[in-house]
């Protein structure tokens, strides 16, 4: 990771290298954080942050599930601070990571009396699943690990602790030579990747696991559902059996980091023609046209970052 200049902490900017926490902060022992991952794209009108209010809303929701009613800043304040973060770091494109954590004070599982710390950071982040992933597709496996079960860790909250499950899925996949793992939910149906939602295409229809399948309510997932609708391709939120992956015409991931990544094999079984399929390609084309600012932002998904214009 290449450091940028500034990180925002509780309302003020500090140097990247000073953004440290105490080792006995609640989050370190107990995993008590919620966070977001947001991308900012370079457009002809300057840097543009993709679906910023939706991400901030999800972070506030993630906190509320863990009895944090107030993260200390309004959604509007957080959105404005993030725009400012991108601006002060003079980024043209970047990945943005807001974090709310239970900090230093008391020890013990109940962190409700610990102070909350809010951090906003950004840095450059390239392709999540490798250089060729977007064009060529990736090879993935079904994980031997089950996704977090209902009523254990709530999947609708993007909590740091959820990513212990994700780490098991990801590390196993990589150790076995795959780019990513797909987890099944506690009932044995398809849930999601360690850091991506998943879509299956068969006979011109798209299926994706419903929110009840222990998935994160992905902002990119929602984007794909809307864009597919615009392209006239029906999307159904459904129960997806594992074996449907193997006989699909196409399978692809969606996520902020992964964007829209085609999957060319699952468990060494070739999916469709073994390369990016036409549905994934059409969705990518539409998605990148909007985020790169070459097509009109018809949903108002971009928050523009005003950067100082050089004097002529
Ligand atoms: N499921 C999980 C478990 C997940 O972590 C992500 C995002 C998604 C689905 C897709 O959600 P969305 O980004 O709103 O479309 N994963 C983030 C973390 C990546 C990381 O390794 O860190 C991301 O893509 O930014």
């Amino acid at each position: 990771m290449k450091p940028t200049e500034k990180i925002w902490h509780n309302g003020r900017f500090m140097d990247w290298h000073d953004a440290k926490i105490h080792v006995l902060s609640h989050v370190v022992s107990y995993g008590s954080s919620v966070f977001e991952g947001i991308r900012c794209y370079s457009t002809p009108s300057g840097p543009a942050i993709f679906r910023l209010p939706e991400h901030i809303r999800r972070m506030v929701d993630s906190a509320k599930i863990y009895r944090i009613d107030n993260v200390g800043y309004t959604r509007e304040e957080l959105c404005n601070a993030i725009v400012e973060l991108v601006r002060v770091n003079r980024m043209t494109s970047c990945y943005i990571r807001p974090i709310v954590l239970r900090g230093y004070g008391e020890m013990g599982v109940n962190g409700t009396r610990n102070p909350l710390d809010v951090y906003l950071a950004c840095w450059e982040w390239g392709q999540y699943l490798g250089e060729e992933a977007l064009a060529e597709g990736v090879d993935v496996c079904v994980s031997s690990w089950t996704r977090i079960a209902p009523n254990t860790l709530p999947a609708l909250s993007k909590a740091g602790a959820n990513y212990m499950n994700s780490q098991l899925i990801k590390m196993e996949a990589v150790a076995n030579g795959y780019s990513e793992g797909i987890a099944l939910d506690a009932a044995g149906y398809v849930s999601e990747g360690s850091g991506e939602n998943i879509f299956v295409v068969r006979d011109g229809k798209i299926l994706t696991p419903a929110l009840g399948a222990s998935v994160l309510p992905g902002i990119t997932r929602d984007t794909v559902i809307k864009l597919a609708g615009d392209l006239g391709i029906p999307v159904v939120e459904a129960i997806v059996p594992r074996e449907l992956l193997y006989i699909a015409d196409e399978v692809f991931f969606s996520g902020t980091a992964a964007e829209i990544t085609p999957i060319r094999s699952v468990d060494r079984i070739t999916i469709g023609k073994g390369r990016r399929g036409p549905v994934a390609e059409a969705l990518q084309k539409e998605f990148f046209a909007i985020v790169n600012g070459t097509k009109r932002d018809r949903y108002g998904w971009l928050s523009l970052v005003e950067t100082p214009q050089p004097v002529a």
Side-chain angles (χ1 to χ4, degrees), residues 58 95 97 128 158 163 192 194-195 197 218-220 255-257:
R58 185 172 68 187
Y95 183 87
R97 172 58 49 86
Y128 190 56
K158 190 173 171 71
Y163 288 83
E192 62 179 352
S194 77
N197 292 111
I219 310 291
T220 324
T256 297

Side-chain angles (χ1 to χ4, degrees), residues 128 141-149 153 160-184 192-195:
Y128 190 56
C141 60
V142 173
S143 185
S144 76
W145 294 100
T146 297
R147 187 87 185 112
I148 46 178
L153 290 172
N162 295 3
Y163 288 83
M164 292 305 277
N165 176 255
S166 289
Q167 287 176 55
L168 292 169
I169 295 161
K170 183 75 179 194
M171 291 189 295
E172 179 192 58
V174 170
N176 290 329
Y178 299 99
S179 300
E180 182 56 287
I182 299 166
L184 306 179
E192 62 179 352
S194 77

